[in-house]
Amino acid sequence: MEITQKTDYFYKRYEYKQNKRTLKVLSFSLLSGPLIVFAKITGIFGNSGFLFILHLIAVYLAGCMFATLILKNHPFSPIVKYIIMITMLYLNFVMSISRYFEIGLTYTLIPLISCIYLNKKFTRQITIVSYIVMLISFIFRASAKDILLEKDITKLQWFLAMTASYTLEFTMNALVVHMIALRNHSILEQDVQSVTKQLQIQSEITSSYVNLLNQKKLGNEQHPQNCSRYVKIICAALSRKPGYSKMLTEEYINYMQTAAYVHDIGYMIIPDRIINKKEPLTELEKQQLMLHTTQGEILFRENMENVDKEYLKICCDIILYHHEQWNGLGYPQQLAESGIPLSARIMYAANTLDNLLEGSKTRAPVSFDKAFEIIKRMGGREIDPEIAQAVYESKRFFRQVLSK
């Protein structure tokens, strides 16, 4: 994964989490609907009508549902946080222009809530919009026929007085909000710097392993790169199937692509005489060759202790289990079906496809169409049937990659 991609994803993932938390809190506050109705029945709101109350509840519910729908289908859409804030602003506006409420200063609460996103630009935008909406609400109140004014006070004077007093208080509160936003943003920036430094170390070590592995002259020098590209296509196809979208996140797929480069890292400790042997391997040599999975996982894990834990797990699973088969006849642990980590199942399919298309020291390459027919037949035997189907259904994408 590119460092810039990872940092961008870090921001997106943080925003996604805050959106989920905010919507969860808002969903609980929907319980206020029955309380408002109860307040109406008991006369707490005086003469305010049911239509007004139902209007507030309906808008609130619609905003929450719309934001939740977008969040579900587009987890990293930046529009979600704006929908949440606009919904809150609208409710605040409707209540503030009603003669039954005096809630002018609650406009400063919305910029304060926006601080949870640790985004100073967003908080600044919400602060400005909140102030403008507050002024508009004063205009509505001043132009209302039923406005309650003191004697000798015109509507214009009332508007100017309200604007002046609330602007002063809003400005003081906005300064506090701005300081909170700056502090929160700096905290997020520190986290991003830490992640960036970790990624640089992670990338440098991984690149070193890839360079060392290339010196072993394993035959197909493009094999790691091909597998990485194939993994991306397979993950994209699987993510559209039920049950995979939550696990196959953007971060997971990017980690998978990087991990594909080091899946054969264990060959670094296999003697060259075995790797480069042209004659059929003896049983003992085959057993030694199979050690590239277990020894490779140990080698990688011992030298990557300070990297992202999820990245480390994906890499280690791929290195250790990328020769496990769906039917349990693979190695090194003879795992079967869902007992094999998803990342390793995907890697097995990508690895097999590239070996079919490019050939190996003991096997000639096959045609494009024949390779995909073989993959399809291997589904339910060596390869996870859903992954085999995903590969077969993505033929045109593989063809596009191979034509470049």
Side-chain angles (χ1 to χ4, degrees), residues 346-358:
I346 294 171
M347 188 66 236
Y348 183 86
N351 189 42
T352 301
L353 179 61
D354 191 58
N355 286 334
L356 288 169
L357 293 171
E358 301 295 332

Side-chain angles (χ1 to χ4, degrees), residues 22-245:
T22 305
L23 285 171
K24 187 176 292 186
V25 172
L26 291 179
S27 64
F28 278 116
S29 60
L30 283 172
L31 296 173
S32 61
L35 296 177
I36 293 175
V37 174
F38 175 76
K40 161 59 184 170
I41 295 172
T42 56
I44 296 176
F45 285 162
N47 297 320
S48 59
F50 268 116
L51 289 179
F52 176 74
I53 297 172
L54 291 176
H55 171 228
L56 294 179
I57 297 173
V59 170
Y60 189 86
L61 182 61
C64 290
M65 290 179 65
F66 187 42
T68 302
L69 184 64
I70 294 178
L71 190 66
K72 182 177 180 181
N73 294 289
H74 305 283
F76 300 127
S77 174
I79 198 174
V80 176
K81 62 179 182 289
Y82 287 100
I83 294 173
I84 294 171
M85 295 298 142
I86 289 171
T87 300
M88 297 172 70
L89 262 175
Y90 179 78
L91 292 174
N92 205 77
F93 172 77
V94 172
M95 288 190 288
S96 64
I97 64 175
S98 169
R99 64 191 182 94
Y100 303 109
F101 299 93
E102 288 290 345
I103 57 172
L105 278 181
T106 57
Y107 281 105
T108 60
L109 291 176
I110 297 171
L112 184 61
I113 294 172
S114 73
C115 289
I116 65 172
Y117 290 97
L118 307 188
N119 186 327
K120 60 183 181 182
K121 181 180 178 181
F122 175 64
T123 297
R124 186 162 56 244
Q125 291 172 338
I126 296 301
T127 303
I128 294 171
V129 173
S130 295
Y131 179 71
I132 293 172
V133 173
M134 184 182 73
L135 293 183
I136 294 173
S137 72
F138 292 158
I139 295 174
F140 271 83
R141 287 289 296 274
S143 61
K145 294 180 180 180
D146 58 351
I147 185 172
L148 302 176
L149 298 175
E150 298 291 337
K151 292 181 178 180
D152 301 324
I153 297 292
T154 65
K155 290 186 177 182
L156 178 60
Q157 289 173 328
W158 179 89
F159 171 75
L160 293 175
M162 290 289 286
T163 299
S165 60
Y166 276 101
T167 295
L168 179 61
E169 294 184 54
F170 188 94
T171 302
M172 296 299 293
N173 289 326
L175 289 173
V176 174
V177 169
H178 181 66
M179 288 188 288
I180 294 173
L182 287 177
R183 182 178 179 278
N184 288 349
H185 190 78
S186 66
I187 292 173
L188 184 61
E189 287 297 318
Q190 289 174 7
D191 290 341
V192 170
Q193 289 176 7
S194 176
V195 170
T196 302
K197 185 176 180 180
Q198 184 185 65
L199 279 172
Q200 289 174 339
I201 297 172
Q202 185 172 295
S203 178
E204 289 171 3
I205 296 176
T206 302
S207 297
S208 299
Y209 277 138
V210 172
N211 291 333
L212 289 172
L213 190 59
N214 287 337
Q215 296 176 14
K216 295 291 287 187
K217 297 180 180 179
L218 300 176
N220 179 12
E221 294 183 359
Q222 296 300 313
H223 180 65
Q225 182 180 354
N226 291 343
C227 286
S228 179
R229 293 189 295 177
Y230 297 166
V231 158
K232 182 179 181 179
I233 296 173
I234 296 170
C235 286
L238 282 176
S239 66
R240 294 189 289 270
K241 294 180 177 289
Y244 288 97
S245 59

